[in-house]
Amino acid sequence: MKERFPTGKPMRKADAILIAALLIVSIIGAVFALYAGSYTNEANVRVTANGALYGVYPIGGTREIVVKGIYENRIVIERDGGKMQVRMADATCPGKDCVRHAPVNLSGQCIVCLPNRLLVEIVGGENDFDAFTY
Amino acid sequence: MHAAANGGGGTRSASGARVRSGKEPQTSARVRSRVRSLTMCAVLAAVALALSYAESLIPLPAPVPGMKPGFANIAIVVALYLLGGRRAFAVNVLRIALAGLMFSGVFAMFYALAGGISAMLAMVALKRTGAFSVIGVSVGGSAAHITGQIVLASLIIRRGALFAGLPIFLISAVAGGVIVGLIAHLLLRALPRRITE
């Protein structure tokens, strides 16, 4: 009467291999991204809106960039302690995930606002992630 | 409803009322199983929707905003094993559409759909190999889900920068996939098999 669904063992060899492979690939990727993202003063803040280049701004000085699309985003480049950082100060998009995102300060890091199709990334310096562009 | 009325095969009296006969259970077995499976679809879609909603109400601390364990996929994985790929996909699309219209928004709906399609393809493929348990299938689905979403986001933004974040998302996807897979495994083990038969 109480026949169960045949689930088998919870963990098999193939599962362990899959999990290990995914973890190894992502740890290597994360280390690479972190290593490649060393901070340099020559870095620029590149803003892409609607799939097109909106502007490139040097990370050297304090600046505020307002991008108007379907929604409005306010990007701030500022000094935090000893380092320059970029953060999404304000946005009118529904989710506000971009505003909750931690400030970024490494080359290769980015903040994205998907509803507004806006990408704010740190590029340049010694380690340019432009190699990822397609 | 229509299936039950037309394909039932049960004898009817002149007045239209169903006549109970000895043959009836045998002839309507297929229909009953279909109704049962449809009901199961509806129940799992409701469970998935409720889990989605609960998850949207309780924001868990995540390193990147928008990162979440995806508990709704417990219902989807259970649907995959109980009802098969097509029905599980239907349940997931229903869940995503309802969640999008009710609380998560249209943008999130499209990303969820991209993730859902990728995850379902991966899970069906992994399940077919027969080498993976529920946990492996769930982890594969979870990893495919986030990869699909990042591919769609990159296509929309038209820059590859988002792929730099993929490793972090993959690690969290593996963690989420293991938890979801384990819960789904325990649920499947606890459910009587005849629930869909």
Side-chain angles (χ1 to χ4, degrees):
Chain A
M1 159 74 193
K2 278 242 164 183
E3 196 190 341
R4 304 299 191 188
F5 194 84
T7 44
K9 278 201 294 181
M11 273 290 265
R12 293 191 220 164
K13 207 166 141 192
D15 301 324
I17 294 169
L18 177 72
I19 291 169
L22 282 171
L23 284 180
I24 290 167
V25 167
S26 36
I27 286 167
I28 290 171
V31 168
F32 175 75
L34 212 65
Y35 178 74
S38 60
Y39 179 78
T40 53
N41 270 317
E42 304 96 74
N44 288 312
V45 177
R46 188 190 153 114
V47 179
T48 310
N50 282 314
L53 180 65
Y54 184 86
V56 178
Y57 311 90
I59 203 167
T62 306
R63 187 188 290 266
E64 189 181 286
I65 308 153
V66 175
V67 183
K68 282 187 181 133
I70 309 169
Y71 303 102
E72 194 175 300
N73 296 69
R74 194 161 60 88
I75 306 153
V76 169
I77 306 174
E78 62 187 5
R79 185 169 291 280
D80 178 61
K83 273 192 171 183
M84 295 303 291
Q85 67 172 25
V86 184
R87 67 185 169 90
M88 194 70 78
D90 226 338
T92 57
C93 61
K96 301 241 193 311
D97 277 340
C98 52
V99 181
R100 277 199 300 273
H101 195 289
V104 291
N105 55 18
L106 297 175
S107 189
Q109 285 185 326
C110 63
I111 301 177
V112 68
C113 180
L114 290 174
N116 210 12
R117 293 185 66 189
L118 179 74
L119 175 71
V120 182
E121 55 186 322
I122 304 182
V123 295
E126 286 159 16
N127 306 288
D128 199 342
F129 262 74
D130 267 0
F132 281 83
T133 314
Y134 55 87
Chain B
M1 289 295 274
H2 282 283
N6 301 330
T11 47
R12 280 168 187 275
S13 72
S15 64
R18 189 164 272 233
V19 173
R20 297 198 179 275
S21 71
K23 280 182 287 178
E24 202 196 321
Q26 201 188 351
T27 45
S28 63
R30 210 191 61 208
V31 174
R32 262 196 317 179
S33 134
R34 206 161 155 186
V35 169
R36 217 173 241 186
S37 141
L38 268 175
T39 313
M40 203 59 202
C41 271
V43 167
L44 287 170
V47 170
L49 187 64
L51 287 171
S52 280
Y53 187 54
E55 204 169 63
S56 77
L57 285 183
I58 311 158
L60 295 163
V64 181
M67 209 180 245
K68 50 190 178 185
F71 286 129
N73 294 310
I74 296 167
I76 307 305
V77 173
V78 169
L80 175 67
Y81 277 84
L82 287 182
L83 307 163
R86 276 184 202 186
R87 289 247 159 97
F89 185 64
V91 168
N92 204 12
V93 169
L94 192 62
R95 192 267 304 180
I96 291 165
L98 289 173
L101 294 174
M102 284 167 72
F103 50 88
S104 71
V106 179
F107 279 105
M109 191 162 102
F110 281 109
Y111 287 101
L113 209 54
I117 292 169
S118 320
M120 195 49 72
L121 291 175
M123 289 200 293
V124 167
L126 287 176
K127 185 169 172 273
R128 267 198 196 157
T129 64
F132 297 93
S133 74
V134 182
I135 293 178
V137 168
S138 162
V139 167
S142 179
H145 187 279
I146 188 57
T147 310
Q149 286 191 321
I150 289 188
V151 167
L152 177 68
S154 300
L155 287 175
I156 284 177
I157 301 292
R158 301 233 203 140
R159 288 277 291 167
L162 294 176
F163 281 100
L166 186 57
I168 301 297
F169 276 110
L170 270 181
I171 292 171
S172 85
V174 169
V178 169
I179 296 166
V180 164
L182 189 62
I183 296 172
H185 171 88
L186 294 174
L187 267 175
L188 286 165
R189 216 176 52 180
L191 289 171
R193 192 179 185 182
R194 55 185 284 275
I195 201 158
T196 53
E197 280 166 6

